[in-house]
Amino acid sequence: MIQSGRRVQSSALATRLVARAGLTARLVLAELLVGSPVLTRVGFVVLAVLLQTIALFSPGHFRPADTPFFAVLVPAATLGAIGFLICAAVPFNRLNWLRVRQGVAGAGLVALLTLSVVGVFHAIPAVGSMAQDNPPSNDGAVMDYYAARQVLHGHNPYAKTNIV
């Protein structure tokens, strides 16, 4: 029998997104439970990024450390990040411990979620600042902004530059 020309109603976008997110979560959980070598490598890389982020945000990276704790934390976190990256380069196979691979992959997923939440909380004020057309907050951004304005006005920004 030939159907009429009406299309079948598609499900709502939110329903499809929730179903896709659930499927993705189940697939990641399955990879975690089998101790996937790929997810283990991703875990090591994410843990390295987390350690390096801690080192970059702590006092003592770009300025003198206030306390001995931060004076030790910055190089230790950097060395730990390098160690995690070296571990990510090691070939993983069935001979490696399953529980270790699962633990590293799980810790990497938790670190990835943590970094994502922190990134969103740092991005919201930055986007608000851009929307309000606030001036940039460092010399490099100011120089780029000034050069772009000079180009828009038909001037060569390399001919004369005055940061003030």
Side-chain angles (χ1 to χ4, degrees):
M1 179 170 150
I2 297 176
Q3 298 289 332
S4 64
R6 294 183 304 164
R7 292 186 148 201
V8 177
Q9 291 284 337
S10 63
S11 61
L13 178 63
T15 306
R16 286 184 285 172
L17 289 176
V18 168
R20 183 171 291 216
L23 177 63
T24 302
R26 285 191 296 271
L27 290 174
V28 169
L29 181 63
E31 289 289 317
L32 179 66
L33 292 176
V34 299
S36 167
V38 173
L39 196 56
T40 303
R41 281 192 179 90
V42 169
F44 276 127
V45 170
V46 170
L47 288 172
V49 169
L50 177 67
L51 281 179
Q52 198 58 39
T53 302
I54 291 169
L56 288 173
F57 278 127
S58 66
H61 183 49
F62 291 114
R63 55 198 176 278
D66 298 338
T67 64
F69 173 75
F70 288 118
V72 172
L73 176 73
V74 172
T78 302
L79 289 175
I82 291 170
F84 279 140
L85 292 176
I86 289 171
C87 289
V90 172
F92 290 97
N93 53 27
R94 292 189 184 117
L95 299 176
N96 298 108
W97 297 315
L98 176 64
R99 294 288 180 204
V100 171
R101 290 193 323 246
Q102 289 174 335
V104 168
L109 289 175
V110 169
L112 185 62
L113 290 173
T114 303
L115 286 171
S116 299
V117 169
V118 169
V120 166
F121 280 119
H122 280 270
I124 289 171
V127 170
S129 178
M130 287 188 300
Q132 294 173 355
D133 200 27
N134 289 340
S137 60
N138 65 29
D139 292 345
V142 170
M143 291 299 291
D144 291 343
Y145 179 74
Y146 179 76
R149 300 232 359 147
Q150 291 295 323
V151 168
L152 290 176
H153 291 281
H155 302 291
N156 182 358
Y158 297 106
K160 181 180 175 187
T161 302
N162 184 358
I163 193 168
V164 178

